[in-house]
Amino acid sequence: MCGITGYIGHREAYPIIIQGLQRLEYRGYDSAGVVLFDGQEINLSKTKGKVSDLQAKVKHDISTKGTIGFGHTRWATHGVPNHVNSHPHLSQSGNLVIVHNGIIENYDTLKKELISRGYTFHSDTDTEVLINLIEEIKIQEKCKLGKAVQLALQQVIGAYAILVFDKEKPNELVIARLGSPIAIGVGKDNKEFFIASDATPFIEYTKDAIYLEDGELAIIKLDRDIRIRKINDDTLVEDVKTQELQLSLEQIEKGNYEHFMLKEIHEQPSAIIDTYRGRLLANKGIIRMSGLDDNMERFLNANRIIIVACGTSWHAGLVAEYLFEDIARIPVEVEYGSEFRYRNPIITEKDVVIAISQSGETADTLAAVKLAKSKGAFVFGICNVVGSSIAREVHAGAYTHAGPEIGVASTKAFTTQITLLSLLALKLGKAKGNLSVPNYQTYLQELVQIPNKVEQLLKEDEHIKTIAAIYKSVPNFLYLGRGYNFPVALEGALKLKEISYIHAEGYPAAEMKHGPIALIDENMPVVVIATNKGYYEKVVSNIQEIKSRQGQLIAIVTKGDTTVKKIANHTIEVPETLEAFTPLLTTIPLQLLSYHIAVMRGCNVDQPRNLAKAVTVE
Ligand code: M6R
């Protein structure tokens, strides 16, 4: 978590840094800070709160002059979010300054050692320990900043992306990474460099980016070059790869939408098309995806598929369990990355592990990938962010191509992940002979209809808004679904709780009578997904059980439904589709319902409290 951005060049650095921090705020917004070097002095300002609070404070605090500087937006790990714990952090002498994304696990041991050498600390952070360790090494070893950073990092256990400046070497910045991302935007003729946790802060300045690999340190010298070294063995990285960025400015702006989340909900028809574009040739009956095609044997010979993911991506994994078992008849297990990595799982070379992650940076999912690889499993990644850590760590994979998702609540990531997983299941189902040709064709023809159907559903917005207005003040919600729509119930509940702070639970509808039914009274809204496929009659019985206990029923039904309409307080219709694709439709009204409730409650939809977009700490 946390966002880092910096600049070294010939322009005024402050506006570039502030704009960069605004774009990185999705990574954390507990506090923000900036540091600038005006040629003489280090000018530093920081505050609890958002980048807008920082801007207000900077006006009173410091001169914004300088062509070198950097900033930080924080998601707190060590120490409460307050002024002193905010980044940047100065070393004891005041000559070195650092921003950090990650966690130094052995900070306490290092801190005690530094205290014994006369260092005093002002904050509770692990980062202040690191900058003083760098300073101490620089003094003891009489070495330059780059070397001191390298030696310090050799003592560090944990994860980091760091950016360090030394007043004595004002024309250079040192960055390093292990487990947390950091990229360099390379300006024309090396006249300027941009540094950031992802490429969004520098997209309008350069399309050339270098992504540092884990265990690498870069020394960036103004008007000269970038030298990248391995932290552990000091080897110089010779073949530094510059990537051309595909990102556009429009993709990372809100446009006419009030919030990124709403924009991203509305982008789903085109995002789903972008996911299957070039991969699904429905009329020819072809699905092609190089990551799968090149490794077909591994999938076809797999004893089972293990899916690892967190949050919304885990819910997409649950939908995939239904897809793979139903369509391809391959046994599937779905695991939280965080549980999988620590429970000594039995993994063999005959297993295929699929890691799902929008950001490609989720620490627990990444650790699960590394563990699976170490046990010999074949690991396939489904990520949205191109070049992300998980995408680079897996043996093969496929991008969802959903475009940047900036709202902290995942929306288009979910539907595009399901689209991609559907393609995998269909291709494997056909290859395994479990899917007849006509059935396979029916699936393909229907999948290309989904974007239109999502488009139709988005027109239900006003209707959903009226329902949101009725329930905006309730303290609890229950979400029920069965089969393919059980994970959608979980996802609906997660969306509501994370952005509106209303307690919500998702349950398989039939499980309700094993406990949660006790919660139902006239004050409890229950969202039930009751499309006409699968277990329709069974779900109708569950709905009756709720009705007879005076629960307030909001039902997601198939267009033309008459049965549930008579029972439920409110219905939202979704277009008819194949059962396997219902999650792609039923999830849309639940996203809109959460969105409107959160807006009506005055919540910060794009930046819900305590959360960050990419959870790069375990
Ligand atoms: O980037 P990832 O898909 O790996 O992220 C996983 C979760 O952190 C994420 O889905 C989170 O649950 C979202 N805030 C849900 O909306």
Side-chain angles (χ1 to χ4, degrees), residues 139-158:
I139 296 166
Q140 295 304 327
E141 301 291 323
K142 299 187 179 54
C143 59
K144 292 183 185 161
L145 179 67
K147 190 72 194 169
V149 172
Q150 183 184 6
L151 293 173
L153 292 178
Q154 286 173 0
Q155 294 187 33
V156 157
I157 300 168

Side-chain angles (χ1 to χ4, degrees), residues 435-469:
L435 208 51
S436 70
V437 174
N439 257 351
Y440 173 73
Q441 281 297 350
T442 308
Y443 275 114
L444 300 201
Q445 292 299 337
E446 181 55 21
L447 193 50
V448 292
Q449 298 306 319
I450 293 294
N452 274 336
K453 294 184 178 183
V454 174
E455 200 78 69
Q456 286 172 41
L457 249 175
L458 291 169
K459 296 190 181 125
E460 293 294 308
D461 193 40
E462 278 307 311
H463 171 49
I464 295 168
K465 214 167 167 176
T466 58
I467 300 173

Side-chain angles (χ1 to χ4, degrees), residues 310-313 356-360 362 408-410 494-495 498 615:
C310 301
T312 290
S313 297
I356 310 174
S357 174
Q358 187 287 130
S359 62
T362 300
V408 164
S410 262
L494 175 63
K495 275 314 70 107
E498 72 178 324
V615 184

Side-chain angles (χ1 to χ4, degrees), residues 74-80 85 102-105 107 124-127:
R74 177 169 186 245
W75 187 83
T77 54
H78 288 68
V80 293
N85 288 335
I103 293 182
I104 311 293
E105 288 169 13
Y107 83 103
D124 306 319
T125 66
D126 47 352
T127 309

Side-chain angles (χ1 to χ4, degrees), residues 335-472:
E335 301 257 7
Y336 286 115
S338 53
E339 290 297 316
F340 182 80
R341 62 183 289 197
Y342 285 120
R343 69 170 181 78
N344 195 12
I346 299 166
I347 313 165
T348 73
E349 290 172 7
K350 295 280 278 176
D351 291 325
V352 166
V353 171
I354 299 181
I356 310 174
S357 174
Q358 187 287 130
S359 62
E361 300 296 344
T362 300
D364 286 323
T365 309
L366 181 59
V369 166
K370 289 181 178 164
L371 176 68
K373 273 178 78 181
S374 73
K375 304 252 180 190
F378 175 73
V379 187
F380 188 90
I382 295 181
C383 298
N384 187 35
V385 178
V386 176
S388 52
S389 302
I390 293 171
R392 284 185 298 174
E393 187 67 38
V394 293
H395 293 115
Y399 288 113
T400 48
H401 296 307
E405 190 181 69
I406 292 166
V408 164
S410 262
T411 51
K412 62 177 178 173
F414 183 62
T415 44
T416 54
Q417 287 163 350
I418 295 172
T419 304
L420 194 56
L421 290 158
S422 303
L423 293 177
L424 290 180
L426 289 166
K427 178 132 190 167
L428 292 171
K430 182 162 176 260
K432 281 182 91 78
N434 295 316
L435 208 51
S436 70
V437 174
N439 257 351
Y440 173 73
Q441 281 297 350
T442 308
Y443 275 114
L444 300 201
Q445 292 299 337
E446 181 55 21
L447 193 50
V448 292
Q449 298 306 319
I450 293 294
N452 274 336
K453 294 184 178 183
V454 174
E455 200 78 69
Q456 286 172 41
L457 249 175
L458 291 169
K459 296 190 181 125
E460 293 294 308
D461 193 40
E462 278 307 311
H463 171 49
I464 295 168
K465 214 167 167 176
T466 58
I467 300 173
I470 299 168
Y471 296 102
K472 65 176 194 290

